[in-house]
Amino acid sequence: MELEHKLAVDAPVDEVWQALVNPERVVGCMPGATLLGVEGDSFTGQIKVKMGPVALLYKGTGTFVDKDEDAHRLVMEANAKDTRGNGTAKSTITMTLTGEGEKTTGTVQTDLAITGKPAQFGRGMISDVGGKIIEQFAACLSTKLAPQPEVAEPATGQPETDGAGTAQATTPQPAQQAEALDLMEYAKGSMLQRVLPVVGAIVLGAVVFAIVRRLRRR
C-alpha cells in the first residue's frame, strides 16, 4: 500500500532534521508510541492501538537505512507485531524536507503492509487516518522546537539540600507509557465523509419519491 502525505513544521529545516534523526526527541509526538531503546541507527519501541473495545499492542524495531543530511532525506524501515499474534505491520518511510526560512515543509511517502484488524479500514481510510496522525505529529514537533523562555537559576547556584545540609540526589523518572492511539477516533471524520454522501443520496431520493407521488395524486 503506497501512501503520501505532507508535513509542515514551524521550525528551521536543520532543527527539524536533527530532531527526526533522534528518536528520543520525537517519540513523545507520535500518538501511542513508547521508545524502549536506541542502539546506533536502530531502535526498539511499542505502540498501543485501540479499535473501539479492542486493544492492541505492537512491539517492533525501526532502522534508519539512509540519512542524507545535505538533501534532508531520511529513509526508515519499521517492523512490528501485535503481542497477541493478531497482526503485523511493516513499512518503509521516506521523508524529504524543504526549508522555507523559519518553516519546514516536506513529503512523507510510506510503503505499508499491514495485517489483522487495522487492515479492515481499507486504503482510503488508512490514508486519511495517517494524514491526521502526521498533522498532530507536526504540530507537536512545532511546539517542541519553539524557542523556550529562559529559566532563572537560583541565586546561590548551590544544589538543594535536606535539613542536615546534605545535597539531595535527583532520582531519574521512568519513561511514561503513552496513551493508546484510538484509530476509531482518528477515523471518525473519514467515516462521516463517506457516510454523509450516502445519507444525502438516500434523503434526496426520498424527497424526489414523495414529490412524484404527490404529483401523481393530482
Side-chain angles (χ1 to χ4, degrees):
M1 186 185 306
E2 300 284 343
L3 306 172
E4 182 170 328
H5 298 96
K6 300 297 183 182
L7 178 76
V9 181
D10 293 332
V13 65
D14 288 334
E15 293 185 16
V16 175
W17 171 263
Q18 290 300 326
L20 290 177
V21 297
N22 288 279
E24 300 96 329
R25 297 185 61 185
V26 298
V27 65
C29 289
M30 181 57 67
T34 299
L35 185 66
L36 301 179
V38 178
E39 184 175 348
D41 284 334
S42 298
F43 56 91
T44 58
Q46 66 181 34
I47 182 168
K48 297 179 181 178
V49 177
K50 284 179 58 180
M51 292 183 62
V54 179
L56 304 173
L57 178 63
Y58 288 88
K59 287 188 176 182
T61 61
T63 302
F64 295 114
V65 296
D66 185 32
K67 294 190 289 187
D68 188 338
E69 185 171 1
D70 292 333
H72 294 122
R73 181 178 180 272
L74 177 69
V75 181
M76 181 181 71
E77 291 182 351
N79 294 276
K81 184 178 181 179
D82 173 46
T83 54
R84 297 180 182 177
N86 294 325
T88 62
K90 181 179 180 180
S91 63
T92 300
I93 303 169
T94 302
M95 303 181 68
T96 305
L97 307 178
T98 301
E100 298 179 359
E102 294 300 308
K103 295 182 179 294
T104 298
T105 58
T107 59
V108 182
Q109 296 175 314
T110 306
D111 184 358
L112 175 66
I114 188 168
T115 65
K117 293 183 180 297
Q120 72 186 39
F121 280 101
R123 183 187 184 283
M125 194 169 292
I126 288 176
S127 180
D128 291 344
V129 170
K132 293 176 182 177
I133 292 174
I134 288 177
E135 287 179 5
Q136 180 174 327
F137 173 84
C140 173
L141 192 57
S142 295
T143 301
K144 185 180 289 288
L145 297 180
Q148 301 297 316
E150 294 184 2
V151 178
E153 296 183 358
T156 61
Q158 298 296 324
E160 294 183 6
T161 60
D162 57 20
T166 304
Q168 296 179 344
T170 302
T171 303
Q173 298 297 318
Q176 294 185 347
Q177 295 292 311
E179 293 185 7
L181 167 60
D182 192 336
L183 291 182
M184 300 303 291
E185 184 67 26
Y186 277 92
K188 187 181 299 181
S190 300
M191 291 179 179
L192 289 176
Q193 290 175 6
R194 288 163 173 72
V195 171
L196 285 178
V198 177
V199 174
I202 294 174
V203 172
L204 179 60
V207 171
V208 172
F209 179 73
I211 293 175
V212 170
R213 286 190 62 183
R214 293 186 64 178
L215 291 175
R216 286 179 177 176
R217 289 176 181 176
R218 294 180 180 178

